[in-house]
Amino acid sequence: MSGFQRKVGVHFSDAYERHDTGPYHPESAVRYRALVSALEDLPQEFIKLPGRRAAVAEILLAHEHYYHDLVYRDVESFADKLRTGDTAICEESYDVALEAAGAVLEAVDAVMRGDVDSAFCAVRPPGHHATASRGMGFCIFNNVAIAARYLQGRHGLGRIAIIDWDVHHGNGTEEIFIEDPSVYYLSLHERDIYPHTGLATDKGRDKGMGATMNIPLPGNSGGDAALDAWDAMITPALEAFQPEFILISAGFDARINDPIGGLLWSDETFAEMTNRCVALAEKWCDGRIVSVLEGGYNPQGLAAAAVAHVRALAGEGRDRLSEQSACMERE
Ligand SMILES: [Zn+2]
């Protein structure tokens, strides 16, 4: 037996290296190459998923038309950053951003067809800071938000959970769904850092009240604080919500030694959070999870944490846990 209980798709592509953010930028092709070389070394049980280019109509599932056109025009005019915020761009960035969003939709389709149980999409640029009308924080289009709307519109699902464990609050995703009770946005993030949103008191608005959960953690806190928050707050909230699909905004910048994030999570923390997602997904939505890369700026740390996450998606950690408990029972 391989030790992998679940079929996991993995998507990565050299195409994302075409999004050139310039020398010394933390969200760089260098970090991406380190991640890809680790993903290439995964065992053959992991299934490589193709990408595709998102249609403009798909971008508009989560973005204003004028913002889409603004991105196109900024890129066409050789601007070096989006006029809406701190997102570096080059002449390829519009195309690469369409590829990133499209690959996530392709992974969603693969999971919905049952080709794989779950999938990890190593795409860039990241998306969770992009609001409907504004790119910022290294993000252009909100890949996860587009996927949530696509699951509802194309696949007819109702309740979608988005779990965001990037060290930064996903202000864009929160804002897009703030009034929407059908998309539950949960964020674990470091307190008092960029983008300075995501207070614990922000729980949604109007009809969406109660479908947003923010868990700000103090700087220098470790994985135990995150896992305690999971067990006390996130798992009970998702048990009550009963998601039909789980999307993960998988940033790895909360990992120890990240140059931007100030939390101290280990690779095991990411595996443990993933185990909790898998348990919830198996209970409520046939195990359906699509996880999408956000931040993570220490190239080797990003690679190690993402591999721990992907292997846990395949159920590897749980196998070990059940072996451990079987051993304990024998003793
Ligand atoms: Zn981040």
Side-chain angles (χ1 to χ4, degrees), residues 266-296:
S266 65
D267 299 334
E268 193 60 27
T269 309
F270 291 99
E272 286 290 337
M273 293 194 301
T274 308
N275 290 340
R276 284 159 170 78
C277 285
V278 169
L280 284 161
E282 287 193 336
K283 183 164 178 188
W284 296 111
C285 48
D286 297 330
R288 296 189 293 232
I289 299 173
V290 167
S291 171
V292 182
L293 178 66
E294 301 283 0

PDB file of all heavy atoms in Angstrom, residues 266-296:
ATOM      1  N   SER A 266       5.256  25.523  12.010  1.00  0.00           N
ATOM      2  CA  SER A 266       6.167  24.522  11.426  1.00  0.00           C
ATOM      3  C   SER A 266       5.472  23.839  10.243  1.00  0.00           C
ATOM      4  O   SER A 266       4.271  24.010  10.016  1.00  0.00           O
ATOM      5  CB  SER A 266       6.518  23.470  12.483  1.00  0.00           C
ATOM      6  OG  SER A 266       5.339  22.754  12.833  1.00  0.00           O
ATOM      7  N   ASP A 267       6.236  23.022   9.526  1.00  0.00           N
ATOM      8  CA  ASP A 267       5.631  22.244   8.439  1.00  0.00           C
ATOM      9  C   ASP A 267       4.525  21.350   8.998  1.00  0.00           C
ATOM     10  O   ASP A 267       3.496  21.124   8.355  1.00  0.00           O
ATOM     11  CB  ASP A 267       6.709  21.400   7.744  1.00  0.00           C
ATOM     12  CG  ASP A 267       7.799  22.274   7.140  1.00  0.00           C
ATOM     13  OD1 ASP A 267       7.511  23.454   6.825  1.00  0.00           O
ATOM     14  OD2 ASP A 267       8.937  21.793   7.002  1.00  0.00           O
ATOM     15  N   GLU A 268       4.750  20.844  10.206  1.00  0.00           N
ATOM     16  CA  GLU A 268       3.761  19.989  10.855  1.00  0.00           C
ATOM     17  C   GLU A 268       2.454  20.747  11.128  1.00  0.00           C
ATOM     18  O   GLU A 268       1.369  20.178  11.061  1.00  0.00           O
ATOM     19  CB  GLU A 268       4.364  19.433  12.158  1.00  0.00           C
ATOM     20  CG  GLU A 268       3.591  18.298  12.792  1.00  0.00           C
ATOM     21  CD  GLU A 268       3.456  17.063  11.896  1.00  0.00           C
ATOM     22  OE1 GLU A 268       4.319  16.843  11.030  1.00  0.00           O
ATOM     23  OE2 GLU A 268       2.447  16.353  12.045  1.00  0.00           O
ATOM     24  N   THR A 269       2.583  22.051  11.433  1.00  0.00           N
ATOM     25  CA  THR A 269       1.372  22.856  11.639  1.00  0.00           C
ATOM     26  C   THR A 269       0.509  22.846  10.382  1.00  0.00           C
ATOM     27  O   THR A 269      -0.712  22.673  10.446  1.00  0.00           O
ATOM     28  CB  THR A 269       1.741  24.317  11.980  1.00  0.00           C
ATOM     29  OG1 THR A 269       2.694  24.338  13.042  1.00  0.00           O
ATOM     30  CG2 THR A 269       0.505  25.121  12.377  1.00  0.00           C
ATOM     31  N   PHE A 270       1.154  23.020   9.226  1.00  0.00           N
ATOM     32  CA  PHE A 270       0.394  23.021   7.966  1.00  0.00           C
ATOM     33  C   PHE A 270      -0.220  21.638   7.708  1.00  0.00           C
ATOM     34  O   PHE A 270      -1.349  21.532   7.221  1.00  0.00           O
ATOM     35  CB  PHE A 270       1.287  23.464   6.799  1.00  0.00           C
ATOM     36  CG  PHE A 270       1.671  24.918   6.889  1.00  0.00           C
ATOM     37  CD1 PHE A 270       2.899  25.305   7.393  1.00  0.00           C
ATOM     38  CD2 PHE A 270       0.781  25.907   6.499  1.00  0.00           C
ATOM     39  CE1 PHE A 270       3.245  26.645   7.508  1.00  0.00           C
ATOM     40  CE2 PHE A 270       1.118  27.256   6.599  1.00  0.00           C
ATOM     41  CZ  PHE A 270       2.359  27.623   7.115  1.00  0.00           C
ATOM     42  N   ALA A 271       0.533  20.584   8.047  1.00  0.00           N
ATOM     43  CA  ALA A 271      -0.012  19.232   7.864  1.00  0.00           C
ATOM     44  C   ALA A 271      -1.211  19.017   8.787  1.00  0.00           C
ATOM     45  O   ALA A 271      -2.228  18.460   8.375  1.00  0.00           O
ATOM     46  CB  ALA A 271       1.086  18.202   8.140  1.00  0.00           C
ATOM     47  N   GLU A 272      -1.091  19.484  10.019  1.00  0.00           N
ATOM     48  CA  GLU A 272      -2.187  19.291  10.982  1.00  0.00           C
ATOM     49  C   GLU A 272      -3.433  20.083  10.564  1.00  0.00           C
ATOM     50  O   GLU A 272      -4.560  19.604  10.697  1.00  0.00           O
ATOM     51  CB  GLU A 272      -1.746  19.730  12.380  1.00  0.00           C
ATOM     52  CG  GLU A 272      -0.787  18.761  13.054  1.00  0.00           C
ATOM     53  CD  GLU A 272      -1.471  17.464  13.443  1.00  0.00           C
ATOM     54  OE1 GLU A 272      -2.713  17.466  13.598  1.00  0.00           O
ATOM     55  OE2 GLU A 272      -0.778  16.443  13.556  1.00  0.00           O
ATOM     56  N   MET A 273      -3.248  21.309  10.087  1.00  0.00           N
ATOM     57  CA  MET A 273      -4.403  22.088   9.615  1.00  0.00           C
ATOM     58  C   MET A 273      -5.046  21.389   8.419  1.00  0.00           C
ATOM     59  O   MET A 273      -6.269  21.340   8.292  1.00  0.00           O
ATOM     60  CB  MET A 273      -3.984  23.509   9.232  1.00  0.00           C
ATOM     61  CG  MET A 273      -3.540  24.344  10.422  1.00  0.00           C
ATOM     62  SD  MET A 273      -3.441  26.106  10.025  1.00  0.00           S
ATOM     63  CE  MET A 273      -2.254  26.093   8.697  1.00  0.00           C
ATOM     64  N   THR A 274      -4.202  20.838   7.555  1.00  0.00           N
ATOM     65  CA  THR A 274      -4.715  20.129   6.382  1.00  0.00           C
ATOM     66  C   THR A 274      -5.513  18.905   6.809  1.00  0.00           C
ATOM     67  O   THR A 274      -6.588  18.626   6.256  1.00  0.00           O
ATOM     68  CB  THR A 274      -3.550  19.718   5.461  1.00  0.00           C
ATOM     69  OG1 THR A 274      -2.747  20.868   5.201  1.00  0.00           O
ATOM     70  CG2 THR A 274      -4.058  19.133   4.159  1.00  0.00           C
ATOM     71  N   ASN A 275      -5.001  18.164   7.796  1.00  0.00           N
ATOM     72  CA  ASN A 275      -5.745  16.995   8.296  1.00  0.00           C
ATOM     73  C   ASN A 275      -7.139  17.397   8.759  1.00  0.00           C
ATOM     74  O   ASN A 275      -8.117  16.681   8.532  1.00  0.00           O
ATOM     75  CB  ASN A 275      -5.003  16.348   9.471  1.00  0.00           C
ATOM     76  CG  ASN A 275      -3.721  15.660   9.035  1.00  0.00           C
ATOM     77  OD1 ASN A 275      -3.543  15.343   7.868  1.00  0.00           O
ATOM     78  ND2 ASN A 275      -2.825  15.431   9.987  1.00  0.00           N
ATOM     79  N   ARG A 276      -7.223  18.543   9.414  1.00  0.00           N
ATOM     80  CA  ARG A 276      -8.529  19.012   9.898  1.00  0.00           C
ATOM     81  C   ARG A 276      -9.445  19.363   8.731  1.00  0.00           C
ATOM     82  O   ARG A 276     -10.638  19.083   8.747  1.00  0.00           O
ATOM     83  CB  ARG A 276      -8.339  20.211  10.826  1.00  0.00           C
ATOM     84  CG  ARG A 276      -7.819  19.800  12.219  1.00  0.00           C
ATOM     85  CD  ARG A 276      -7.164  20.985  12.922  1.00  0.00           C
ATOM     86  NE  ARG A 276      -6.854  20.724  14.324  1.00  0.00           N
ATOM     87  CZ  ARG A 276      -5.813  20.009  14.750  1.00  0.00           C
ATOM     88  NH1 ARG A 276      -4.993  19.451  13.877  1.00  0.00           N
ATOM     89  NH2 ARG A 276      -5.597  19.843  16.053  1.00  0.00           N
ATOM     90  N   CYS A 277      -8.876  19.997   7.692  1.00  0.00           N
ATOM     91  CA  CYS A 277      -9.674  20.304   6.492  1.00  0.00           C
ATOM     92  C   CYS A 277     -10.182  19.019   5.843  1.00  0.00           C
ATOM     93  O   CYS A 277     -11.340  18.938   5.426  1.00  0.00           O
ATOM     94  CB  CYS A 277      -8.822  21.033   5.444  1.00  0.00           C
ATOM     95  SG  CYS A 277      -8.491  22.726   5.831  1.00  0.00           S
ATOM     96  N   VAL A 278      -9.292  18.040   5.740  1.00  0.00           N
ATOM     97  CA  VAL A 278      -9.670  16.784   5.080  1.00  0.00           C
ATOM     98  C   VAL A 278     -10.785  16.097   5.863  1.00  0.00           C
ATOM     99  O   VAL A 278     -11.760  15.611   5.278  1.00  0.00           O
ATOM    100  CB  VAL A 278      -8.437  15.859   4.933  1.00  0.00           C
ATOM    101  CG1 VAL A 278      -8.855  14.465   4.500  1.00  0.00           C
ATOM    102  CG2 VAL A 278      -7.443  16.466   3.943  1.00  0.00           C
ATOM    103  N   ALA A 279     -10.667  16.094   7.192  1.00  0.00           N
ATOM    104  CA  ALA A 279     -11.706  15.451   8.011  1.00  0.00           C
ATOM    105  C   ALA A 279     -13.052  16.141   7.785  1.00  0.00           C
ATOM    106  O   ALA A 279     -14.084  15.481   7.621  1.00  0.00           O
ATOM    107  CB  ALA A 279     -11.302  15.489   9.482  1.00  0.00           C
ATOM    108  N   LEU A 280     -13.036  17.466   7.753  1.00  0.00           N
ATOM    109  CA  LEU A 280     -14.290  18.210   7.516  1.00  0.00           C
ATOM    110  C   LEU A 280     -14.830  17.942   6.113  1.00  0.00           C
ATOM    111  O   LEU A 280     -16.031  17.732   5.924  1.00  0.00           O
ATOM    112  CB  LEU A 280     -14.046  19.715   7.689  1.00  0.00           C
ATOM    113  CG  LEU A 280     -13.930  20.192   9.132  1.00  0.00           C
ATOM    114  CD1 LEU A 280     -13.232  21.543   9.182  1.00  0.00           C
ATOM    115  CD2 LEU A 280     -15.317  20.269   9.785  1.00  0.00           C
ATOM    116  N   ALA A 281     -13.920  17.939   5.143  1.00  0.00           N
ATOM    117  CA  ALA A 281     -14.356  17.727   3.756  1.00  0.00           C
ATOM    118  C   ALA A 281     -14.920  16.322   3.581  1.00  0.00           C
ATOM    119  O   ALA A 281     -15.910  16.129   2.867  1.00  0.00           O
ATOM    120  CB  ALA A 281     -13.189  17.963   2.797  1.00  0.00           C
ATOM    121  N   GLU A 282     -14.316  15.350   4.224  1.00  0.00           N
ATOM    122  CA  GLU A 282     -14.829  13.978   4.076  1.00  0.00           C
ATOM    123  C   GLU A 282     -16.201  13.850   4.723  1.00  0.00           C
ATOM    124  O   GLU A 282     -17.051  13.118   4.252  1.00  0.00           O
ATOM    125  CB  GLU A 282     -13.836  12.983   4.667  1.00  0.00           C
ATOM    126  CG  GLU A 282     -12.626  12.849   3.752  1.00  0.00           C
ATOM    127  CD  GLU A 282     -11.738  11.670   4.083  1.00  0.00           C
ATOM    128  OE1 GLU A 282     -11.766  11.216   5.235  1.00  0.00           O
ATOM    129  OE2 GLU A 282     -11.015  11.227   3.168  1.00  0.00           O
ATOM    130  N   LYS A 283     -16.385  14.601   5.799  1.00  0.00           N
ATOM    131  CA  LYS A 283     -17.674  14.510   6.483  1.00  0.00           C
ATOM    132  C   LYS A 283     -18.785  15.214   5.703  1.00  0.00           C
ATOM    133  O   LYS A 283     -19.901  14.713   5.612  1.00  0.00           O
ATOM    134  CB  LYS A 283     -17.539  15.126   7.879  1.00  0.00           C
ATOM    135  CG  LYS A 283     -18.804  15.027   8.707  1.00  0.00           C
ATOM    136  CD  LYS A 283     -18.526  15.291  10.169  1.00  0.00           C
ATOM    137  CE  LYS A 283     -19.817  15.230  10.966  1.00  0.00           C
ATOM    138  NZ  LYS A 283     -19.612  15.670  12.357  1.00  0.00           N
ATOM    139  N   TRP A 284     -18.462  16.363   5.107  1.00  0.00           N
ATOM    140  CA  TRP A 284     -19.535  17.192   4.553  1.00  0.00           C
ATOM    141  C   TRP A 284     -19.573  17.261   3.036  1.00  0.00           C
ATOM    142  O   TRP A 284     -20.598  17.598   2.457  1.00  0.00           O
ATOM    143  CB  TRP A 284     -19.438  18.622   5.119  1.00  0.00           C
ATOM    144  CG  TRP A 284     -19.648  18.662   6.580  1.00  0.00           C
ATOM    145  CD1 TRP A 284     -18.722  18.949   7.542  1.00  0.00           C
ATOM    146  CD2 TRP A 284     -20.854  18.360   7.287  1.00  0.00           C
ATOM    147  NE1 TRP A 284     -19.268  18.841   8.796  1.00  0.00           N
ATOM    148  CE2 TRP A 284     -20.585  18.488   8.678  1.00  0.00           C
ATOM    149  CE3 TRP A 284     -22.142  17.982   6.890  1.00  0.00           C
ATOM    150  CZ2 TRP A 284     -21.546  18.261   9.654  1.00  0.00           C
ATOM    151  CZ3 TRP A 284     -23.107  17.753   7.864  1.00  0.00           C
ATOM    152  CH2 TRP A 284     -22.794  17.898   9.229  1.00  0.00           C
ATOM    153  N   CYS A 285     -18.466  17.027   2.359  1.00  0.00           N
ATOM    154  CA  CYS A 285     -18.501  17.287   0.912  1.00  0.00           C
ATOM    155  C   CYS A 285     -17.670  16.287   0.107  1.00  0.00           C
ATOM    156  O   CYS A 285     -16.954  16.694  -0.805  1.00  0.00           O
ATOM    157  CB  CYS A 285     -18.105  18.741   0.611  1.00  0.00           C
ATOM    158  SG  CYS A 285     -16.632  19.363   1.395  1.00  0.00           S
ATOM    159  N   ASP A 286     -17.808  15.008   0.430  1.00  0.00           N
ATOM    160  CA  ASP A 286     -17.124  13.953  -0.340  1.00  0.00           C
ATOM    161  C   ASP A 286     -15.622  14.210  -0.456  1.00  0.00           C
ATOM    162  O   ASP A 286     -15.002  13.815  -1.450  1.00  0.00           O
ATOM    163  CB  ASP A 286     -17.723  13.821  -1.757  1.00  0.00           C
ATOM    164  CG  ASP A 286     -19.171  13.399  -1.728  1.00  0.00           C
ATOM    165  OD1 ASP A 286     -19.547  12.680  -0.775  1.00  0.00           O
ATOM    166  OD2 ASP A 286     -19.939  13.792  -2.631  1.00  0.00           O
ATOM    167  N   GLY A 287     -15.049  14.909   0.499  1.00  0.00           N
ATOM    168  CA  GLY A 287     -13.604  15.139   0.492  1.00  0.00           C
ATOM    169  C   GLY A 287     -13.129  16.217  -0.470  1.00  0.00           C
ATOM    170  O   GLY A 287     -11.932  16.361  -0.694  1.00  0.00           O
ATOM    171  N   ARG A 288     -14.068  16.998  -1.026  1.00  0.00           N
ATOM    172  CA  ARG A 288     -13.690  17.939  -2.096  1.00  0.00           C
ATOM    173  C   ARG A 288     -12.982  19.183  -1.553  1.00  0.00           C
ATOM    174  O   ARG A 288     -13.579  19.994  -0.843  1.00  0.00           O
ATOM    175  CB  ARG A 288     -14.940  18.378  -2.875  1.00  0.00           C
ATOM    176  CG  ARG A 288     -15.593  17.218  -3.604  1.00  0.00           C
ATOM    177  CD  ARG A 288     -16.685  17.703  -4.526  1.00  0.00           C
ATOM    178  NE  ARG A 288     -17.801  18.270  -3.812  1.00  0.00           N
ATOM    179  CZ  ARG A 288     -19.082  17.895  -3.998  1.00  0.00           C
ATOM    180  NH1 ARG A 288     -19.377  16.957  -4.862  1.00  0.00           N
ATOM    181  NH2 ARG A 288     -20.038  18.486  -3.338  1.00  0.00           N
ATOM    182  N   ILE A 289     -11.712  19.324  -1.924  1.00  0.00           N
ATOM    183  CA  ILE A 289     -10.898  20.482  -1.511  1.00  0.00           C
ATOM    184  C   ILE A 289     -10.066  20.936  -2.710  1.00  0.00           C
ATOM    185  O   ILE A 289      -9.453  20.115  -3.384  1.00  0.00           O
ATOM    186  CB  ILE A 289      -9.907  20.109  -0.374  1.00  0.00           C
ATOM    187  CG1 ILE A 289     -10.637  19.631   0.880  1.00  0.00           C
ATOM    188  CG2 ILE A 289      -8.985  21.290  -0.050  1.00  0.00           C
ATOM    189  CD1 ILE A 289      -9.700  19.087   1.965  1.00  0.00           C
ATOM    190  N   VAL A 290     -10.052  22.237  -2.958  1.00  0.00           N
ATOM    191  CA  VAL A 290      -9.030  22.803  -3.859  1.00  0.00           C
ATOM    192  C   VAL A 290      -8.273  23.873  -3.087  1.00  0.00           C
ATOM    193  O   VAL A 290      -8.866  24.795  -2.518  1.00  0.00           O
ATOM    194  CB  VAL A 290      -9.629  23.375  -5.165  1.00  0.00           C
ATOM    195  CG1 VAL A 290      -8.598  24.218  -5.916  1.00  0.00           C
ATOM    196  CG2 VAL A 290     -10.098  22.232  -6.070  1.00  0.00           C
ATOM    197  N   SER A 291      -6.968  23.696  -3.041  1.00  0.00           N
ATOM    198  CA  SER A 291      -6.085  24.580  -2.289  1.00  0.00           C
ATOM    199  C   SER A 291      -5.263  25.402  -3.272  1.00  0.00           C
ATOM    200  O   SER A 291      -4.782  24.864  -4.277  1.00  0.00           O
ATOM    201  CB  SER A 291      -5.184  23.701  -1.420  1.00  0.00           C
ATOM    202  OG  SER A 291      -4.182  24.466  -0.818  1.00  0.00           O
ATOM    203  N   VAL A 292      -5.112  26.680  -2.989  1.00  0.00           N
ATOM    204  CA  VAL A 292      -4.502  27.601  -3.953  1.00  0.00           C
ATOM    205  C   VAL A 292      -3.383  28.385  -3.261  1.00  0.00           C
ATOM    206  O   VAL A 292      -3.603  28.986  -2.201  1.00  0.00           O
ATOM    207  CB  VAL A 292      -5.566  28.580  -4.496  1.00  0.00           C
ATOM    208  CG1 VAL A 292      -4.963  29.510  -5.537  1.00  0.00           C
ATOM    209  CG2 VAL A 292      -6.750  27.811  -5.086  1.00  0.00           C
ATOM    210  N   LEU A 293      -2.237  28.410  -3.881  1.00  0.00           N
ATOM    211  CA  LEU A 293      -1.089  29.128  -3.310  1.00  0.00           C
ATOM    212  C   LEU A 293      -1.375  30.623  -3.182  1.00  0.00           C
ATOM    213  O   LEU A 293      -1.854  31.257  -4.117  1.00  0.00           O
ATOM    214  CB  LEU A 293       0.131  28.924  -4.215  1.00  0.00           C
ATOM    215  CG  LEU A 293       1.409  29.652  -3.791  1.00  0.00           C
ATOM    216  CD1 LEU A 293       1.947  29.116  -2.472  1.00  0.00           C
ATOM    217  CD2 LEU A 293       2.476  29.545  -4.883  1.00  0.00           C
ATOM    218  N   GLU A 294      -1.045  31.178  -2.018  1.00  0.00           N
ATOM    219  CA  GLU A 294      -1.032  32.641  -1.846  1.00  0.00           C
ATOM    220  C   GLU A 294       0.428  33.039  -1.571  1.00  0.00           C
ATOM    221  O   GLU A 294       1.254  32.958  -2.446  1.00  0.00           O
ATOM    222  CB  GLU A 294      -1.987  33.058  -0.714  1.00  0.00           C
ATOM    223  CG  GLU A 294      -3.451  32.640  -0.941  1.00  0.00           C
ATOM    224  CD  GLU A 294      -4.230  33.513  -1.936  1.00  0.00           C
ATOM    225  OE1 GLU A 294      -3.669  34.467  -2.474  1.00  0.00           O
ATOM    226  OE2 GLU A 294      -5.418  33.209  -2.175  1.00  0.00           O
ATOM    227  N   GLY A 295       0.745  33.471  -0.314  1.00  0.00           N
ATOM    228  CA  GLY A 295       2.102  33.920  -0.014  1.00  0.00           C
ATOM    229  C   GLY A 295       3.027  32.788   0.420  1.00  0.00           C
ATOM    230  O   GLY A 295       2.684  31.605   0.355  1.00  0.00           O
ATOM    231  N   GLY A 296       4.202  33.208   0.940  1.00  0.00           N
ATOM    232  CA  GLY A 296       5.254  32.267   1.339  1.00  0.00           C
ATOM    233  C   GLY A 296       6.539  32.700   0.668  1.00  0.00           C
ATOM    234  O   GLY A 296       6.700  32.494  -0.528  1.00  0.00           O
TER     235      GLY A 296
END
